[in-house]
Amino acid sequence: MAPILEISDLVVRFGSKTALDGISFSAEPGQIIGFIGPDGAGKTTLLRTMASLILPDSGQARMLGHNICTDLDALRCQIGYMPQQCGLYEDLTVQENLDLYSDLHGVPSHRRKAIQEKILTSTALAPFVQRFTGKLSGGMKQKLGVACCLLASPKVLILDEPTVGVDPVSRRDLWQIILATVREEGTTVFLASTYLDEVMRCDQAIILNQGKILFNDSPDKITERVKGRVFLLPATAGKLARDSMIELSRDKEISHVGIDCGSLRVITGRPDTFCPAYPQAKACPPLFADAFMDIWAENVSPPQLIQMGEDSGGKREEVVVRVEGLQKKFGEFTAVEDTTFEVKRGEIFGLLGGNGAGKTTIFRMLCGLLRASSGSITIAGHDLLKSPGKTRARLGYMAQKFSLYTQLSVIQNLRFFGRAYNLGGKKLTAKIERALIEFNLDQHRDDAAGLLPAGHRQRLAMASASLHNPDILFLDEPTSGTDPLARREFWLRISSFAQKGMTVIVTTHYMEEAEFCDKILIMAKGKILAMGTPKEIRKHALSAENPNPSIEDAFIQLVEEGDQ
């Protein structure tokens, strides 16, 4: 069978920057090809070039037997392309978006109703056809984006990070749609992802870095490189798993260490010396994620593991955030209902929930940006309603969109946020210089924030939010859309903050990140479904069929039980 795509020595430049540097590969029809790599690796540029939205500077590329540079009209009617931001019109309803894209794709009027009904059923969007797209949850928007791509029954589907920013249930639903499209229609799917477990589902995995292909093979073949080198190690008695992880990360014979269901998942280059040094370690089957992190340890220097921030002082058993009976209504709609929890100094507290669960609403109330309808909030001993000024001075807040001034440089953003937190003079200058070094931003100090890769913008946003050494740091989906390497670096930094006594409250859709938390609260539709340590949360999915459940298993089960 002839390849559906053949690319040879593809080069794409933007001015003096080479985005794709001699890319060559082919793909078979009816398969799923996954692209993964760090921010700026060239994934989006490659997908846009394959969709004939960017013309290469040199090289050859043929899709479905057509030249992607010269046969644009013949190709575009056979390709469905979904960009990172879905490409939807938020002031149109679901039905109006479907009608618009049916027109754009030339779907015949006599077939339109049947095609739309089938897609609405498969994406579970049928009950929401008259809802404005801007009012949909993140997961529903992503489903609608995929639905609009499928209207013309394309032979090729190109998806740029289709599951970014959606909860595990919506992510599972999106993958069911993708797999059904491949199985029933024979569609070939090219997708970029920030989830390593998603690339593991693909037939072909392509790992990119700096515009070049590092590896191109089946996920199973790539995974074989770490066979016999992956071990599970119990966390040190009396220590948090994240603290033990930081210690092991300094071992030069360990290429990667992460947290896996409360234990440490270790990849070593020297099993012969590692096993005698850690006799309690048990060998375990490798995953694609293990191979990816091992590849990166070979190709990229690890982040600096330095002690971040200043010691916050205070007693570790001190409750610094107390929420009692919190409720928020918008008219007749209850966004948050009767929520109570407390967080101690130096803890990392995770808020998990589906899109629209109420997490961001709680965040905005805790930061004093949104007034509660009822209930009380005490921050660092101050009643938020009675002393908002004193309370806010003790907080740092990193919003979902990072809240940076994109036209200002890195150092100008830091100066602005420092002054907003009443820092100035030599003290501000010293803190900025320290932040530039601690967050590895010194070489980018004069670069515009809007031109930084996503991982660097994330670092700058965190540096800005923590510049005044707050008692409590609020992070609202801070790793959404960033690559696995940036997420790992982020959590090493956050763990270091917590070691110094800073309290961190964080929301995330990456369930493996919840393992770094001391406590987790899982929400749905504004209500608490469960709260406890990661170990206690995992027990909700414990069964004879699943004796070692993950937090994602527990999350999906709790949300589905809540919907019944």
Side-chain angles (χ1 to χ4, degrees):
M1 187 178 295
I4 198 166
L5 173 70
E6 293 180 284
I7 289 179
S8 177
D9 297 321
L10 200 69
V11 175
V12 174
R13 297 187 183 93
F14 299 109
S16 60
K17 177 180 171 57
T18 300
L20 299 178
D21 190 1
I23 296 289
S24 298
F25 71 95
S26 62
E28 300 301 317
Q31 294 195 333
I32 303 177
I33 297 88
F35 300 92
I36 196 160
D39 298 314
K43 303 183 296 296
T44 293
T45 301
L46 180 55
L47 293 182
R48 289 174 63 83
T49 304
M50 288 161 51
S52 299
L53 298 173
I54 294 176
L55 297 181
D57 291 279
S58 63
Q60 299 292 322
R62 298 187 69 83
M63 176 88 76
L64 296 162
H66 298 283
N67 187 306
I68 65 168
C69 299
T70 58
D71 301 338
L72 305 187
D73 291 338
L75 271 175
R76 285 176 179 165
C77 65
Q78 300 184 74
I79 294 175
Y81 171 69
M82 177 177 158
Q84 287 183 14
Q85 304 303 321
C86 299
L88 300 172
Y89 292 85
E90 297 207 344
D91 55 348
L92 298 182
T93 65
V94 169
Q95 184 63 59
E96 288 168 340
N97 266 286
L98 289 171
D99 289 340
L100 173 63
Y101 276 91
S102 295
D103 289 338
L104 293 174
H105 288 303
V107 179
S109 56
H110 67 279
R111 296 183 55 216
R112 186 170 298 189
K113 183 177 180 181
I115 290 172
Q116 288 185 0
E117 285 181 352
K118 179 182 177 181
I119 290 174
L120 285 169
T121 300
S122 67
T123 56
L125 288 172
F128 309 101
V129 289
Q130 298 306 319
R131 183 175 295 185
F132 284 104
T133 302
K135 299 294 185 181
L136 297 176
S137 69
M140 292 169 72
K141 286 179 183 176
Q142 298 295 94
K143 289 181 187 178
L144 179 57
V146 174
C148 290
C149 290
L150 295 175
L151 287 165
S153 300
K155 293 181 179 179
V156 173
L157 188 59
I158 300 175
L159 306 173
D160 195 355
E161 298 184 2
T163 59
V164 69
V166 302
D167 62 82
V169 176
S170 297
R171 191 161 74 97
R172 181 196 61 185
D173 293 346
L174 279 162
W175 265 94
Q176 288 175 348
I177 296 167
I178 293 169
L179 293 172
T181 301
V182 173
R183 183 176 62 250
E184 297 169 10
E185 307 292 336
T187 307
T188 304
V189 178
F190 297 92
L191 68 88
S193 180
T194 62
Y195 287 93
L196 292 164
D197 64 321
E198 290 186 351
V199 179
M200 188 167 63
R201 298 184 184 189
C202 299
D203 301 289
Q204 182 177 349
I206 297 177
I207 300 177
L208 293 163
N209 186 40
Q210 297 181 348
K212 297 182 178 181
I213 293 178
L214 291 183
F215 280 83
N216 173 19
D217 214 325
S218 70
D220 288 342
K221 286 286 183 63
I222 294 174
T223 303
E224 284 180 6
R225 66 175 276 125
V226 290
K227 188 176 181 180
R229 297 198 286 121
V230 183
F231 298 85
L232 284 180
L233 183 66
T236 305
K239 280 192 174 182
L240 295 169
R242 63 172 184 261
D243 292 340
S244 297
M245 186 195 80
I246 291 175
E247 289 181 3
L248 279 174
S249 295
R250 299 188 177 99
D251 190 327
K252 293 182 179 179
E253 292 188 357
I254 292 175
S255 63
H256 174 70
V257 56
I259 303 176
D260 183 358
C261 295
S263 296
L264 300 174
R265 190 177 185 91
V266 179
I267 309 168
T268 177
R270 294 287 305 277
D272 55 327
T273 57
F274 175 80
C275 294
Y278 300 95
Q280 66 274 46
K282 295 182 179 180
C284 63
L287 302 174
F288 176 78
D290 300 321
F292 179 86
M293 300 309 292
D294 185 66
I295 288 167
W296 235 256
E298 249 183 34
N299 288 275
V300 179
S301 298
Q304 297 179 4
L305 297 179
I306 55 179
Q307 286 294 316
M308 306 294 297
E310 306 165 14
D311 199 304
S312 297
K315 297 179 180 179
R316 292 304 175 99
E317 293 302 310
E318 176 190 2
V319 175
V320 292
V321 177
R322 179 174 279 112
V323 174
E324 295 182 300
L326 192 65
Q327 186 178 68
K328 179 60 184 177
K329 290 189 173 184
F330 296 98
E332 297 298 316
F333 174 69
T334 301
V336 176
E337 183 175 342
D338 193 24
T339 297
T340 298
F341 62 88
E342 61 181 36
V343 188
K344 295 178 181 178
R345 183 176 300 280
E347 285 188 337
I348 301 178
F349 186 87
L351 274 174
L352 308 183
N355 301 105
K359 306 183 302 295
T360 297
T361 302
I362 287 180
F363 254 53
R364 292 177 64 80
M365 287 190 286
L366 291 176
C367 294
L369 301 174
L370 190 64
R371 190 175 182 85
S373 301
S374 61
S376 65
I377 302 172
T378 305
I379 304 287
H382 299 286
D383 188 309
L384 182 59
L385 295 178
K386 295 178 180 178
S387 308
K390 290 181 179 179
T391 303
R392 287 173 188 158
R394 313 288 291 273
L395 307 179
Y397 177 55
M398 182 174 164
Q400 284 184 20
K401 302 301 180 184
F402 298 165
S403 299
L404 298 172
Y405 290 88
T406 56
Q407 293 180 329
L408 297 183
S409 68
V410 167
I411 198 164
Q412 287 171 334
N413 267 283
L414 290 171
R415 283 198 195 110
F416 173 83
F417 284 101
R419 288 167 182 160
Y421 288 122
N422 294 319
L423 298 175
K426 293 181 179 179
K427 185 176 182 180
L428 174 58
T429 300
K431 282 183 173 288
I432 287 175
E433 291 302 319
R434 181 174 179 173
L436 288 170
I437 294 170
E438 289 182 341
F439 288 90
N440 298 325
L441 290 168
D442 193 37
Q443 67 272 35
H444 301 287
R445 61 169 59 212
D446 297 319
D447 295 348
L451 299 179
L452 295 174
H456 288 69
R457 289 200 305 274
Q458 179 203 62
R459 288 187 214 163
L460 177 57
M462 195 195 306
S464 300
S466 60
L467 197 63
H468 60 305
N469 194 38
D471 290 328
I472 304 148
L473 185 60
F474 291 94
L475 306 170
D476 195 1
E477 295 186 21
T479 57
S480 180
T482 58
D483 65 75
L485 307 165
R487 295 201 299 272
R488 169 177 162 75
E489 181 180 338
F490 169 86
W491 279 100
L492 287 172
R493 295 180 188 280
I494 287 304
S495 299
S496 184
F497 280 141
Q499 282 184 334
K500 288 287 187 177
M502 185 182 292
T503 302
V504 180
I505 301 180
V506 60
T507 67
T508 182
H509 283 310
Y510 296 97
M511 294 295 108
E512 70 272 16
E513 294 181 352
E515 290 284 358
F516 286 83
C517 298
D518 297 272
K519 288 182 183 176
I520 301 166
L521 185 155
I522 295 180
M523 302 180 64
K525 299 177 182 177
K527 298 179 180 180
I528 295 176
L529 298 180
M531 183 164 54
T533 64
K535 183 178 180 179
E536 290 167 343
I537 294 297
R538 288 194 299 271
K539 286 181 179 178
H540 286 277
L542 186 65
S543 66
E545 295 78 22
N546 190 4
N548 191 32
S550 65
I551 288 179
E552 180 161 336
D553 295 331
F555 178 93
I556 291 173
Q557 182 165 320
L558 285 164
V559 170
E560 289 182 339
E561 288 175 353
D563 287 338
Q564 292 175 0

